[in-house]
Amino acid sequence: MQHLIKKYISIRSNAYNSQKLCMLPNCNENAINSHIIQRSQFLMPIANASNELYFIDSKNTFPGKLPKFKREPISSILTFQGFCTKHDQMIFSEIEKSSFDLTDRKHLLLFNYRAICHELRKKWDIISWMEALIRDDDFPNIPDERFNVSLGGHKLGAKDLEYYKLKAEEELVKGISNYDYLVEVLPYREFVTSAIFNIETLTPNEVAKVNTPNWKEEPLKAMVFTIFPKNAELILILCYLKSDASIISDFIREMGGINLNFVNKIIIEWIETWACSEGFYTTNIQSNRDEIIKACFQSNSIYAANQNELINIMK
């Protein structure tokens, strides 16, 4: 059993850590590790004296074992293999080397584009890992029906993200205005993330149809959610396709409007990749860290069955 656990983790590590190519279309150069949030502007100001932040480390988990909080240097936190050196500088230098402007549409779009690419890379890595498990003779029970449904869901998710990536590239390159943005200022919290999440879900029967030709050309409705502290405030940026504006508006209203409770619910129920300062961790997380991990990584139905209300880390 121990051998299988080690091999399971090794196969996943190989899928996640192998050298990737640049995500820009038609580029075959190696990708470099890039931060999803600007290190100098938004990570360094909230890091401790050793330049570290806290995050949820899920790299060495396996079925039955939940991830743990870990303190990590900001040089390696919230990073992914996105673009080659040339294209990373060409695309993002405007927000890396100058002060971020909340009123600049291109600055908002670049945050959106990087978050989409990060989530797409994660999907590709998961698919690569799961397909490697299928090929490995040490796991004869893979794939079973549940595994195939999960793999199908990830493939459909990657397809949706490729669509959203293309729409961002159309706006960057051709100037086609595909996205709308909502910027809100909230009470200061030393917390950062930038991620895209679906506000729709599929049933297992729908996921099973993922390989059916032309089954579902329309992607699930999604929204990019970015937050970071800036000038003693917490900045929230929501990004979504213009065609989905009314659906997003209904979603926000059903969630009770935009406030810290809204942020908390999104973080706990939809987003896995985020980081916080040592002070935030000590005050808002440490005493309830196990419950927070369960809330973030167990299915909503399992967690909700044992809780009267959602745990709040933004209080």
Side-chain angles (χ1 to χ4, degrees):
M1 183 63 179
Q2 195 66 28
H3 162 72
L4 289 179
I5 291 173
K6 288 182 178 179
K7 189 162 190 181
Y8 180 94
I9 293 173
S10 175
I11 291 173
R12 180 173 58 185
S13 178
N14 288 338
Y16 287 11
N17 298 323
S18 61
Q19 179 62 58
K20 311 299 193 305
L21 296 180
C22 178
M23 296 181 74
L24 201 68
N26 303 316
C27 180
N28 294 315
E29 296 296 318
N30 286 340
I32 60 172
N33 276 317
S34 304
H35 287 84
I36 63 172
I37 293 281
Q38 291 96 302
R39 178 170 65 175
S40 61
Q41 294 190 55
F42 306 125
L43 300 184
M44 289 183 66
I46 64 172
N48 63 16
S50 299
N51 272 334
E52 297 169 325
L53 294 174
Y54 276 85
F55 80 115
I56 299 176
D57 181 14
S58 58
K59 289 182 180 178
N60 295 318
T61 58
F62 53 87
K65 179 183 177 183
L66 290 172
K68 295 181 179 181
F69 280 99
K70 183 179 178 182
R71 193 166 54 192
E72 185 85 2
I74 60 173
S75 59
S76 57
I77 204 168
L78 300 181
T79 62
F80 76 111
Q81 291 188 54
F83 301 88
C84 65
T85 300
K86 173 185 174 182
H87 288 135
D88 188 79
Q89 293 176 352
M90 182 181 76
I91 297 169
F92 300 105
S93 62
E94 190 170 332
I95 58 173
E96 292 285 355
K97 297 180 179 179
S98 60
S99 180
F100 182 73
D101 185 352
L102 293 171
T103 65
D104 189 312
R105 183 177 177 84
K106 185 179 179 182
H107 286 199
L108 297 173
L109 175 61
L110 289 174
F111 257 110
N112 175 49
Y113 184 53
R114 184 174 266 167
I116 293 170
C117 289
H118 172 236
E119 295 294 333
L120 178 56
R121 177 67 80 195
K122 284 167 59 179
K123 285 293 183 190
W124 285 345
D125 286 350
I126 291 170
I127 293 167
S128 176
W129 161 51
M130 295 181 77
E131 290 180 338
L133 286 174
I134 292 174
R135 295 190 299 268
D136 196 290
D137 292 337
D138 280 343
F139 299 94
N141 295 324
I142 293 178
D144 58 14
E145 182 179 356
R146 184 176 178 182
F147 188 95
N148 281 330
V149 168
S150 178
L151 179 57
H154 286 300
K155 287 182 175 180
L156 185 58
K159 183 179 178 182
D160 286 357
L161 288 164
E162 287 165 0
Y163 176 88
Y164 285 110
K165 178 175 179 283
L166 176 62
K167 289 300 180 182
E169 288 166 351
E170 285 180 350
E171 188 157 336
L172 281 169
V173 177
K174 299 179 182 179
I176 301 173
S177 182
N178 291 322
Y179 285 96
D180 268 344
Y181 304 91
L182 192 60
V183 180
E184 295 285 343
V185 177
L186 299 170
Y188 183 74
R189 298 291 188 274
E190 293 182 340
F191 192 100
V192 291
T193 190
S194 188
I196 182 171
F197 69 97
N198 295 328
I199 64 171
E200 295 180 311
T201 58
L202 294 178
T203 67
N205 286 336
E206 289 173 321
V207 172
K209 299 177 184 177
V210 63
N211 293 315
T212 303
N214 303 319
W215 169 65
K216 187 174 175 59
E217 295 302 324
E218 286 294 319
L220 292 177
K221 309 303 181 187
M223 179 166 56
V224 178
F225 178 95
T226 299
I227 55 173
F228 51 81
K230 180 179 172 68
N231 298 333
E233 297 169 325
L234 183 67
I235 306 300
L236 168 64
I237 304 169
L238 302 179
C239 173
Y240 46 88
L241 288 175
K242 287 187 173 183
S243 57
D244 296 339
S246 62
I247 295 172
I248 297 296
S249 179
D250 290 343
F251 173 79
I252 292 172
R253 183 171 58 254
E254 290 170 5
M255 294 276 285
I258 297 177
N259 49 41
L260 287 179
N261 286 333
F262 172 86
V263 169
N264 181 74
K265 189 171 180 63
I266 300 301
I267 293 296
I268 295 297
E269 295 196 350
W270 278 285
I271 296 177
E272 296 179 0
T273 305
W274 47 267
C276 64
S277 69
E278 186 168 8
F280 185 95
Y281 174 81
T282 301
T283 303
N284 295 57
I285 293 176
Q286 189 170 29
S287 61
N288 293 307
R289 61 189 177 190
D290 292 340
E291 284 302 311
I292 292 168
I293 290 290
K294 290 178 183 177
C296 290
F297 285 86
Q298 286 185 343
S299 71
N300 289 346
S301 59
I302 293 173
Y303 181 76
N306 298 300
Q307 298 292 321
N308 293 322
E309 61 182 66
L310 195 67
I311 195 164
N312 190 346
I313 66 172
M314 288 289 163
K315 56 188 176 184

